Amino acid sequence: MTSERRHALYEELSNESRRYMAAYTLFNQAIADRLGLHPTDLQGLSLLTAEPEPLTVKQIADMTGLTTGSATRLVDRLERGGYVTRVPDTQDRRRVLVTPVPERVARVTAVWDELGEGWQAMLADHTEAELEAIVRHLRKAQQLSKTQIEHLRGAPLT
């Protein structure tokens, strides 16, 4: 591939990535609206349910980029909505773990399942190797985003 073609592809990837992120933000807002949740609360719940074990508020803060105070308020709202409960950590009595409520989370899962059919249809014509490449890309993008967030938060404001 020529360097000119590669440059054009980088440019196209940049533009499509920006469009995708904007579309995903609007998509997340539409799901949150459907469920009567704030988009940040929906993302917090989504991240919480993606983990195999309950999390502390500090861990939720780290995952979402919120301060611990904001993460506490997020958990408060989710708890009021019946989506999570706080339970004492049996390993460390000083800690409290935030645990999803399966029956309530099922409401969110039902919306995702309904919409998931469209995503699966979109991916149906990809080979397994292509799907593996997409998964690899998304994992690398997540890690790069974490690194860049740390850099941005540590750099002086301009």
Side-chain angles (χ1 to χ4, degrees), residues 8 12-13 46-47 53 68 89 112 130 135 139 153:
E12 187 175 359
L13 277 168
S46 178
L47 291 170
E53 302 290 328
T68 53
D89 184 345
W112 279 111
E130 289 171 329
V135 169
R139 285 186 180 139
R153 290 195 173 140

Side-chain angles (χ1 to χ4, degrees), residues 23-33 38-40 42-43 112:
Y24 188 83
T25 299
L26 294 171
F27 175 73
N28 186 65
Q29 179 70 56
I31 292 174
D33 290 347
H38 187 278
T40 302
L42 177 63
Q43 283 304 299
W112 279 111

Side-chain angles (χ1 to χ4, degrees), residues 41 48 54-58 60-61 67-90 92-102:
D41 297 353
L48 179 63
L55 301 174
T56 64
V57 171
K58 171 76 169 97
I60 293 169
T67 64
T68 53
S70 292
T72 297
R73 288 187 294 280
L74 178 146
V75 171
D76 290 344
R77 290 188 302 272
L78 291 174
E79 188 174 41
R80 277 193 306 275
Y83 290 99
V84 300
T85 59
R86 288 178 167 104
V87 295
D89 184 345
T90 58
D92 182 347
R93 293 183 339 189
R94 296 169 295 175
R95 291 184 349 155
V96 173
L97 298 174
V98 179
T99 305
V101 175

